[in-house]
Amino acid sequence: KRNKLQIFDTAGDERFRRTITSAYYRGCHGILLCFDVTDESSFSDLGFWLAEIERLANHAQVVLVGCKSELASQRRVPREEAEKLAQSRHLDYFESSAKEGYQVSEAFEALIYSVMSDIAPDSIAQMVITIAG
């Protein structure tokens, strides 16, 4: 059996906060919640987004992703702080670099595995994930 994955990127844009994103939450099974490790405000905004997820999609599996890990000299959010948040919310945590292709597929695969474990646990043994990009 094949499953289709639909991905919507709202980019955390302010204009999406109270309009279009609530529609995306309904019926979703998984969320990659991303923040920029070089921007403290994007990390601070996670509280808002986690509350929205809890309010509108509390059944959804969530993976936390710290983006732009290649910019170590510009880092403003300590890895330990992000890991502590993820642990307190029982979330998987990845640091990724889209620029370098580091941990991007792994974050998606973790989310897919988590979603499939939740909605179709009997299919996990036969699951093969192919990410084209």
Side-chain angles (χ1 to χ4, degrees), residues 8-74:
F8 300 96
D9 181 2
T10 63
D13 195 314
E14 185 67 33
R15 65 190 161 147
F16 290 117
R17 278 194 181 221
R18 286 175 182 76
T19 57
I20 200 164
T21 51
S22 61
Y24 289 131
Y25 290 128
R26 287 186 198 92
C28 82
H29 296 285
I31 297 170
L32 280 179
L33 183 58
C34 302
F35 71 95
D36 180 345
V37 300
T38 69
D39 181 357
E40 291 176 62
S41 68
S42 77
F43 185 74
S44 296
D45 285 347
L46 291 176
F48 169 83
W49 294 112
L50 287 164
E52 286 291 281
I53 291 166
E54 199 170 298
R55 185 172 70 85
L56 298 168
N58 66 353
H59 62 282
Q61 302 297 313
V62 180
V63 172
L64 183 62
V65 181
C67 300
K68 299 185 183 177
S69 66
E70 79 279 2
L71 301 176
S73 65
Q74 298 172 43

Side-chain angles (χ1 to χ4, degrees), residues 102-121:
Y102 175 71
Q103 295 268 40
V104 175
S105 292
E106 291 83 352
F108 275 98
E109 289 170 6
L111 180 62
I112 293 165
Y113 183 83
S114 184
V115 166
M116 293 304 293
S117 294
D118 189 44
I119 64 172

